[in-house]
Amino acid sequence: MQRRTRTRHLIELGGLVQKAGLVELTDDDRATLYGAMLELAGLARDENAGDIVALWKRRGKRAFDMEAGADKEPSDNG
């Protein structure tokens, strides 16, 4: 059961990489994606990490909220 939960978690994280548009921006180059994530991790370890992580969190929540709002709006197809 733990392995299944971990696998689902990793798949969801990969989905976030896709949703953010990073796969297309990097032409699906794994080394580039990994390097970018290492850069982000370095920024999150900086002395101003609290501010940076808070900014990322606000942006992410805003994007999730906008997406959830778009899902609720009726389509113009009908």
Side-chain angles (χ1 to χ4, degrees):
M1 190 67 161
Q2 284 181 333
R3 189 173 76 192
R4 192 176 306 159
T5 301
R6 181 179 181 273
T7 299
R8 179 177 175 84
H9 180 74
L10 293 173
I11 290 168
E12 289 172 351
L13 292 173
L16 292 174
V17 171
Q18 175 72 39
K19 187 180 279 200
L22 294 173
V23 175
E24 292 81 18
L25 286 172
T26 61
D27 202 25
D28 200 13
D29 181 50
R30 310 256 167 112
T32 303
L33 286 168
Y34 187 42
M37 286 184 240
L38 290 172
E39 183 71 22
L40 289 173
L43 290 172
R45 289 185 187 101
D46 192 60
E47 61 188 41
N48 298 321
D51 295 337
I52 291 168
V53 172
L55 173 65
W56 294 344
K57 187 173 189 172
R58 282 194 310 272
R59 286 182 179 170
K61 283 185 174 186
R62 193 175 314 128
F64 278 138
D65 290 345
M66 288 177 60
E67 183 178 298
D71 289 345
K72 292 179 183 175
E73 293 180 16
S75 66
D76 291 335
N77 298 4

